Amino acid sequence: MTSIFTARLVLLPLSCEMIEKRLAHEEFNLIADTPEGPLSVHFDSQWAGGLRDLFPHLLEQMRRQGLAAQAGIFCVALRETGQAVGDIGTKGQPSAAGEQEIGYGFNPAHWGQGYATEAVSALVQQLVAQPEIKVVTAQTAQSNRASERVLEKLAFTRTGQSWDEEDGDLTVWSKSKH
C-alpha cells in the first residue's frame, strides 16, 4: 500500500509503528517514508480518536498476518508541516456486489478547513479506479452536519438510514462509479 498525495495532504498507510507509538504515548513523532522522501510526522493527543479503541486488536491482527501496514487505512497528515490531522479508510472488504464502505475522522482542531473533503475525494478516486469497486458507501451521524457536507460536496447521495449504538441515527450515503 502506498501513500496518496493531494495538494495539501498525504495519506500514509496506517503502520504498526504508528499504532505502537499511539498506544504508548499521547504525543509522538515518527519519520514516514513516502515516494517524495522522508516526512517527519507529529501525532498529537487528538489523533485517531475514533480508531484508538480498535488499535490493540488491529495491531495483533497485523502482527499475526506479518503486515507492516494495514491495507486501506490511512493516517492523514499535512504535507507542509507533517502534522497528523485525522484518519480515513475502508471498512472491511468490498461486498460481492462491489460496494466498499469508507469512514473518516479528523482532529477537532482541524475541522472546517476542507481537509476531510480533500482526503475523502482522494480515497474515493483511488477506490473507483479499482475494477471490482462499483459503489463507495459511507454512514454519517445525523447530528454531524459537517460530515454530511463533505459527502454532499463529493456528489454522494443519501440512500437510506441506519442506527449505531455509539452515534445513534445514521444517514447512509453512496456514490456510484459512473
Side-chain angles (χ1 to χ4, degrees), residues 31-66:
I31 302 297
D33 291 322
T34 76
E36 292 186 345
L39 175 68
S40 177
V41 182
H42 175 72
F43 297 81
D44 66 20
S45 62
Q46 294 181 359
W47 178 72
L51 280 180
R52 205 179 281 181
D53 292 342
L54 301 174
F55 277 178
H57 170 73
L58 189 56
L59 183 59
E60 179 184 321
Q61 179 183 351
M62 291 166 68
R63 285 179 175 157
R64 200 171 42 247
Q65 296 173 4

Side-chain angles (χ1 to χ4, degrees), residues 5-175:
F5 292 90
T6 71
R8 300 180 298 162
L9 306 172
V10 57
L11 283 63
L12 301 164
L14 181 67
S15 69
C16 287
E17 182 180 16
M18 288 176 194
I19 295 173
E20 290 166 347
K21 286 194 174 201
R22 167 48 73 216
L23 292 173
H25 307 285
E26 280 298 304
E27 292 198 26
F28 62 96
N29 294 306
L30 65 78
I31 302 297
D33 291 322
T34 76
E36 292 186 345
L39 175 68
S40 177
V41 182
H42 175 72
F43 297 81
D44 66 20
S45 62
Q46 294 181 359
W47 178 72
L51 280 180
R52 205 179 281 181
D53 292 342
L54 301 174
F55 277 178
H57 170 73
L58 189 56
L59 183 59
E60 179 184 321
Q61 179 183 351
M62 291 166 68
R63 285 179 175 157
R64 200 171 42 247
Q65 296 173 4
L67 301 174
Q70 180 63 45
I73 302 177
F74 299 88
C75 163
V76 180
L78 302 178
R79 287 177 77 168
E80 188 173 306
T81 65
Q83 177 68 45
V85 297
D87 54 80
I88 188 169
T90 57
K91 293 184 171 185
Q93 297 297 315
S95 72
E99 292 183 0
Q100 177 63 69
E101 184 177 1
I102 63 168
Y104 50 93
F106 285 77
N107 304 358
H110 298 284
W111 289 352
Q113 298 177 52
Y115 297 138
T117 302
E118 192 170 327
V120 171
S121 177
L123 180 61
V124 168
Q125 287 175 26
Q126 183 192 58
L127 291 172
V128 299
Q130 299 173 28
E132 67 274 12
I133 305 294
K134 308 293 183 226
V135 177
V136 178
T137 65
Q139 297 185 60
T140 58
Q142 290 182 2
S143 61
N144 189 342
R145 183 66 188 128
S147 194
E148 290 182 338
R149 280 291 302 138
V150 167
L151 299 175
E152 288 171 350
K153 286 187 255 182
L154 297 173
F156 276 73
T157 57
R158 294 171 203 251
T159 57
Q161 295 185 344
S162 184
W163 187 84
D164 176 75
E165 190 172 312
E166 184 178 328
D167 293 321
D169 292 326
L170 303 172
T171 301
V172 179
W173 301 82
S174 70
K175 180 176 179 137

